[in-house]
Amino acid sequence: MTAAALELNPTAPRPVEESRPLVDGRQTHPLYNDQKMKLGLFGTNCSYGLIMSHAESTYKATWEHTLQVARTAEAIGFEALVPIARWRGFGGTTNFNGTCFETYAWAAGLAQATERIGIFATSHLPTMHPIVAAKAATTIDHISGGRFGLNLVMGWFSPEMEMFDGSQREHDERYVFGQEWLDLVLKLWSEEGSFDHRGEFFTCTGVESYPKPHQAPRPILINAGNSKAGVEFSARNVDINFASLTTLEEMKAYTDTIRAKARDDHQREITTMTYGLIVCRDTEKEAKAAFDNVIEKGDWGAAENVMKIAGMQSQSFNEQIKQFQERFIAGWAGYPIVGTPEQVTEELGRLHAAGMEGMIMGLIDYNEEMKYFDANVMPLLKQAGLRH
Ligand SMILES: Cc1cc2nc3c(=O)[nH]c(=O)nc-3n(C[C@H](O)[C@H](O)[C@H](O)COP(=O)(O)O)c2cc1C
């Protein structure tokens, strides 16, 4: 029996309390605050976080620990917690990221347990029906009082996408699917009454979703596509793009390009942020030694698996490949910052000058090193005018 046959009256107005968000969400998400250099943590829901290494750390992917890390991050004023969506590990001696919490459920738990920090779920779009995702996101947005955000990922790691239905779409096709998925979610978040959807990937009859998100008209959206199709998707749809780039020059050019694209092609604004491992110690020597220890105790097998699947493995094992593998081992190929509190502050300043409005970081030992960061780096960031 269809919705129409049941006379569910798709156009009837819903009661105001069901449909109206209480506050304009753009005021409630911490990533919309006026800190010049926003800070967050990346990967605190997965074993080994951002390091493929047996380097010593108290970090564990347990609920008690991830909760403690979240509370410390909130206490020192960080803006965001961004989890990694992962369904299987990368093998090697660590089975890197193989023990991990599903991110909507993780975000819901942390939303209830915190009061100020922004909390994201990272959603592999092909793994969740848009109707379920729209409602899960809305639920967490309400639990958090408008501090929720969604990281939209298409799923590049084919073995985990194949876990779901034995297949993986071709690269650009993933973004075509992602666009239809997101369009449907946006409609569910904003449209009153019910509607039908007939698309290439979804056929839905008489769909509706209440309540609407706390953040109006939608929660903050982020994406990390850096390919042509990924940049197009970001420019069209999201608030923040995360750039995975090697040099400051590349970051500046990238930021200028994606901002111009969003303005010219879609009449909207987008900002850019980046990610990477931060290793900060009293002396440069100590910081470098801690970074080198991550590499020395690295899980080269896991890094090789990642590079093979990401299509970066070349025929010969040359120095360039080795360096790239090291970047994966120490910070998931993000932008590494290694040095004293002064050097870390300077580097964050350079990133900001290159257009990056924030950084979500990995730390060898999240909880312990955040306390050091708070005592030693935060005051310098304030002096440098990057934070207040
Ligand atoms: C900050 C950041 C977070 C990401 N999180 C995930 C994730 O949780 N799960 C995942 O499968 N891919 C994740 N990715 C990978 C991206 O979604 C994307 O596949 C990758 O950037 C390549 O996209 P592209 O081929 O369009 O450039 C992340 C990338 C970045 C930079």
Side-chain angles (χ1 to χ4, degrees):
M1 188 170 287
T2 65
L6 278 169
E7 293 183 349
L8 291 180
N9 194 358
T11 52
R14 271 30 182 191
V16 166
E17 64 274 18
E18 272 186 34
S19 62
R20 294 275 166 261
L22 302 172
V23 187
D24 180 341
R26 305 311 158 106
Q27 312 303 317
T28 56
H29 200 288
L31 279 183
Y32 285 115
N33 73 18
D34 63 351
Q35 298 285 1
K36 272 193 183 165
M37 192 65 185
K38 299 178 176 55
L39 297 171
L41 296 180
F42 183 29
T44 63
N45 64 316
C46 287
S47 52
Y48 296 93
L50 248 54
I51 59 165
M52 298 178 186
S53 172
H54 295 280
E56 299 70 14
S57 173
T58 66
Y59 173 72
K60 299 189 283 250
T62 61
W63 179 253
E64 292 72 20
H65 195 86
T66 197
L67 174 62
Q68 192 184 10
V69 167
R71 285 184 167 148
T72 307
E74 172 164 273
I76 71 172
F78 278 18
E79 277 81 22
L81 297 168
V82 181
I84 294 173
R86 196 88 293 142
W87 304 97
R88 62 179 303 153
F90 289 101
T93 52
T94 56
N95 192 28
F96 179 63
N97 283 178
T99 297
C100 55
F101 290 119
E102 189 284 318
T103 69
Y104 285 93
W106 176 86
L110 291 186
Q112 183 61 41
T114 54
E115 288 173 3
R116 296 181 304 281
I117 196 163
I119 296 168
F120 285 79
T122 296
S123 196
H124 278 124
L125 307 192
T127 68
M128 199 165 183
H129 194 284
I131 297 174
V132 183
K135 201 173 257 303
T138 297
T139 305
I140 308 167
D141 201 29
H142 281 255
I143 295 171
S144 65
R147 292 180 288 125
F148 177 69
L150 199 54
N151 180 17
L152 304 164
V153 297
M154 307 302 139
W156 63 271
F157 181 29
S158 299
E160 71 181 355
M161 290 302 102
E162 287 164 4
M163 284 166 71
F164 288 83
D165 68 356
S167 65
Q168 164 70 305
R169 291 190 175 88
E170 177 275 322
H171 182 276
D172 288 5
E173 176 79 0
R174 292 174 214 159
Y175 285 100
V176 177
F177 171 88
Q179 191 62 53
E180 187 181 328
W181 188 99
L182 180 61
D183 287 344
L184 186 46
V185 167
L186 291 173
K187 224 171 154 182
L188 285 159
W189 280 339
S190 58
E191 198 143 311
E192 299 296 339
S194 65
F195 61 91
D196 295 342
H197 174 87
R198 302 271 175 273
E200 190 182 344
F201 304 98
F202 299 100
T203 301
C204 311
T205 305
V207 289
E208 62 174 52
S209 192
Y210 289 94
K212 300 303 177 195
H214 190 283
Q215 294 172 80
R218 58 166 174 74
I220 190 167
L221 298 175
I222 65 176
N223 168 257
N226 297 162
S227 61
K228 194 165 178 290
V231 166
E232 173 56 40
F233 180 87
S234 270
R236 180 169 167 184
N237 299 299
V238 308
D239 303 295
I240 306 165
N241 175 273
F242 280 81
S244 174
L245 297 166
T246 315
T247 66
L248 294 166
E249 293 71 30
E250 284 171 341
M251 294 200 190
K252 178 85 182 78
Y254 182 84
T255 300
D256 292 347
T257 306
I258 197 166
R259 281 203 176 145
K261 192 167 195 35
R263 279 187 194 145
D264 298 346
D265 298 355
H266 304 287
Q267 295 72 55
R268 58 188 303 279
E269 294 296 322
I270 189 169
T271 59
T272 50
M273 296 190 188
T274 195
Y275 75 102
L277 185 69
I278 296 189
V279 185
C280 188
R281 300 288 186 272
D282 289 346
T283 65
E284 189 178 337
K285 201 171 156 205
E286 284 172 89
K288 283 194 168 146
F291 183 83
D292 289 346
N293 186 47
V294 172
I295 306 286
E296 273 158 32
K297 298 190 172 130
D299 182 351
W300 292 80
E304 201 172 334
N305 288 340
V306 170
M307 290 178 68
K308 260 189 210 147
I309 295 157
M312 273 178 260
Q313 189 64 282
S314 81
Q315 305 262 309
S316 58
F317 192 80
N318 57 31
E319 193 52 33
Q320 210 184 355
I321 293 289
K322 182 160 178 274
Q323 275 174 15
F324 223 92
Q325 212 157 343
E326 288 184 2
R327 275 184 79 118
F328 268 109
I329 286 171
W332 241 127
Y335 189 84
I337 302 185
V338 182
T340 62
E342 290 75 15
Q343 289 169 320
V344 169
T345 303
E346 280 162 21
E347 199 60 40
L348 287 170
R350 281 186 210 108
L351 281 173
H352 185 262
M356 296 294 144
E357 296 194 10
M359 171 152 189
I360 50 171
M361 65 186 82
L363 296 166
I364 299 170
D365 195 325
Y366 288 98
N367 208 41
E368 298 310 311
E369 292 181 28
M370 259 191 294
K371 293 173 203 160
Y372 181 86
F373 193 94
D374 184 40
N376 298 283
V377 184
M378 284 300 217
L380 298 182
L381 289 172
K382 286 177 189 162
Q383 274 174 33
L386 292 165
R387 308 264 314 170
H388 56 78

